[in-house]
Amino acid sequence: MTQTLTTKVLIIGAGTGGYVAGIRCGQLGLDAVLVDGGDGLGGTCLNVGCIPSKAIIHAASKFETVSKAAAGGTLGITAAQPAIDLSQTVAWKDGVVKKLNAGVAALLKKSKVKVIKGWANFTDAKTCTVTTADGDIVVSAEHVILATGSEPVELPFLPFGGDVISSTEALSLDKVPGKLVVVGGGYIGLELGIAFRKLGAEVAIVEMADRLLPLYDKALTDPVAKWLEKHGVELHLGAKAGSFEKGQLNITTRDGQALKLKADKVLVTVGRRPRTQGWGLENMGVAMAGPFVKTDDRCATSMKNVWAVGDLTGEPMLAHKGSAQGEIVAEIIAGRDRRFDPVAIAAVCFTEPEIVSAGLGPLDVEGRDDVITAVFPLMAIGRALALEAGDDGGFVRVLASKTDHRLLGLQAVGQHVSELSNSFAQMLEMGAVLEDVAGTIHVHPTMGEAFHEASLRALGHAIHI
């Protein structure tokens, strides 16, 4: 028997955009229904993306630390050679995810959001049928928020299955592969490739571009490239992957040579695409912008009272962007005047070392003579040296306007620099000038002192260099 349900707000997708929209709707007194279509509460980020990957990365770093201690000692600490049972590590990771799932469920319940687990299919812009384990539910709404997220891109000649895996399967392996080949040298491939190298796998990376992390400038990516070289990661840049047969991946090198790379697992991380298929988007009458749903600065689509947030709306495809959009849309529906117009959205690569970027970078201001650029090395920061984080070529970089000293962009590379990302975003969002950073007394000893010193250097009077 088909049930029917009417609501003020219908949210499709329970990821960081959708569930945050639901919670904010509840806080504002809006009747809301949230449809969770597959990944689980928290979506890709919580279940098979940001959180579990960082858990595995953390475990890998712990394993590496003990391995160093076993290989002759580090910081005066010695240890026996470690072993890893990856199935236990994955079970711990799953426990972290389960705890967060329960937390999101509790928050939605507190906000009186009705959660339906099932797959939605729209027949028109405001009506969908949700197929659940207990039968179909037809839901109609005054407002619809689309938050369906994204999915890994599959290569036609390397379809997922068996030993060809996406990041989702990589986070649930029961043992460390002896030989892992990563296809794609972007942040997902590098984060996981580095983690598995720390866990003892032999790793090769195949990237079509001439260098890794091509969206970042070379100064930011060089320390990562040096780590890979130092730790024996095999790099094939300017190379194209082919088919995978009998435990070997066919590739064509930059100079046209055909090679076969042995692999126990092939991890394909060539990007993500918006999830637009299989739920009736074509019946909703919304305009598209290439593969993405077209939205304005209110996250409104071309169809009245249909909104879209998160990865579905385009780059940057970042969890925190989706959350911010979800919150804004809920407030607009409640009658508030809101716009999604951030000065900057900081991005972090949890590689070794980490990379942070917010606002404009050197490539964006190339050729301009009205920009001050200042770099401060982490090796001159006491806290960095005490954390063994100052000898990998890390730095903090500041870009500011010559005329009024307003901050234009901030970047950093080095161990633990991900924790500077919020400070970077905050200063840019507040329209800070170099003197604002220079005049803020930064706590000693912290990594954040490098931000202070880089700003002082841009003004011509860094203290510790």
Side-chain angles (χ1 to χ4, degrees):
M1 182 177 174
T2 301
Q3 300 180 55
T4 58
L5 190 62
T6 302
T7 184
K8 174 79 172 179
V9 184
L10 169 62
I11 306 163
I12 306 299
T16 50
Y19 88 74
V20 169
I23 290 171
R24 191 69 185 116
C25 281
Q27 291 173 342
L28 293 165
L30 301 172
D31 182 34
V33 171
L34 174 65
V35 178
D36 171 15
D39 285 332
L41 296 178
T44 294
C45 175
L46 195 157
N47 293 278
V48 293
C50 315
I51 300 301
S53 66
K54 302 316 166 284
I56 296 297
I57 288 168
H58 173 69
S61 294
K62 290 280 189 183
F63 184 81
E64 182 192 36
T65 298
V66 181
S67 296
K68 284 180 178 178
T74 177
L75 310 180
I77 303 167
T78 56
Q81 185 62 41
I84 184 157
D85 182 339
L86 191 60
S87 63
Q88 288 190 35
T89 307
V90 168
W92 164 76
K93 176 266 295 181
D94 290 342
V96 172
V97 170
K98 186 176 180 181
K99 187 179 295 185
L100 291 169
N101 281 145
V104 172
L107 291 169
L108 289 165
K109 184 177 181 180
K110 179 183 176 183
S111 296
K112 297 182 172 57
V113 178
K114 180 176 178 60
V115 177
I116 302 175
K117 189 165 183 61
W119 193 259
N121 198 344
F122 280 85
T123 51
D124 60 46
K126 307 290 172 56
T127 310
C128 72
T129 300
V130 184
T131 302
T132 76
D134 300 319
D136 291 348
I137 304 174
V138 176
V139 185
S140 58
E142 183 180 339
H143 293 265
V144 174
I145 303 175
L146 302 177
T148 55
S150 62
E151 58 196 3
V153 170
E154 184 177 50
L155 294 172
F157 50 85
L158 273 178
F160 294 130
D163 291 326
V164 179
I165 60 176
S166 73
S167 56
T168 298
E169 293 77 35
L171 294 169
S172 294
L173 294 175
D174 58 3
K175 64 179 181 179
V176 178
K179 178 80 173 181
L180 174 70
V181 176
V182 180
V183 178
Y187 76 95
I188 296 174
L190 284 182
E191 285 183 2
L192 293 177
I194 288 170
F196 278 105
R197 181 69 192 108
K198 288 180 177 182
L199 292 171
E202 291 182 38
V203 176
I205 296 172
V206 179
E207 167 58 44
M208 283 185 67
D210 289 331
R211 62 182 185 83
L212 300 169
L213 296 167
L215 294 179
Y216 295 92
D217 65 270
K218 190 172 181 295
L220 284 176
T221 60
D222 272 352
V224 178
K226 288 175 183 175
W227 188 96
L228 295 171
E229 182 181 359
K230 180 180 178 182
H231 291 83
V233 175
E234 191 180 322
L235 294 181
H236 297 276
L237 302 178
K240 294 181 180 179
S243 59
F244 178 64
E245 301 165 332
K246 298 179 181 178
Q248 293 184 315
L249 178 69
N250 293 296
I251 73 165
T252 305
T253 66
R254 184 176 356 204
D255 57 10
Q257 181 184 0
L259 286 183
K260 292 181 182 293
L261 302 181
K262 290 183 178 180
D264 296 304
K265 299 289 180 184
V266 176
L267 170 59
V268 179
T269 58
V270 294
R272 296 182 66 84
R273 63 186 174 202
R275 192 176 279 128
T276 56
Q277 302 297 314
W279 48 273
L281 176 63
E282 63 277 6
N283 299 323
M284 300 185 73
V286 300
M288 304 295 289
F292 302 104
V293 171
K294 186 177 182 180
T295 56
D296 62 14
D297 64 355
R298 300 168 71 242
C299 302
T301 71
S302 60
M303 178 64 69
K304 185 180 180 182
N305 291 349
V306 175
W307 317 81
V309 303
D311 290 358
L312 191 62
T313 66
E315 298 288 353
M317 295 167 79
L318 298 170
H320 40 291
K321 182 197 80 170
S323 295
Q325 290 178 321
E327 188 176 349
I328 283 169
V329 169
E331 295 187 1
I332 290 172
I333 293 172
R336 300 189 180 185
D337 184 14
R338 293 295 309 274
R339 294 288 188 277
F340 182 70
D341 186 24
V343 172
I345 302 174
V348 177
C349 292
F350 290 87
T351 44
E352 186 67 63
E354 296 173 346
I355 297 174
V356 181
S357 182
L360 301 181
L363 302 178
D364 301 308
V365 299
E366 204 167 21
R368 288 174 55 174
D369 59 5
D370 61 339
V371 176
I372 305 168
T373 301
V375 173
F376 194 87
L378 293 181
M379 66 183 298
I381 296 295
R383 176 65 169 164
L385 294 178
L387 291 171
E388 298 181 282
D391 59 356
D392 55 11
F395 61 83
V396 171
R397 181 172 60 208
V398 171
L399 282 74
S401 167
K402 274 186 183 177
T403 54
D404 61 6
H405 291 179
R406 188 169 302 279
L407 295 176
L408 301 175
L410 301 163
Q411 292 85 41
V413 57
Q415 294 181 54
H416 313 293
V417 296
S418 58
E419 297 304 325
L420 300 179
S421 57
N422 293 314
S423 180
F424 286 180
Q426 182 183 36
M427 285 295 186
L428 289 169
E429 194 65 42
M430 294 179 69
V433 295
L434 290 169
E435 287 82 0
D436 291 323
V437 185
T440 300
I441 299 175
H442 285 65
V443 174
H444 175 77
T446 63
M447 297 290 283
E449 289 178 277
F451 183 18
H452 184 236
E453 289 277 10
S455 299
L456 289 173
R457 195 173 195 186
L459 292 169
H461 53 87
I463 301 298
H464 291 96
I465 197 169

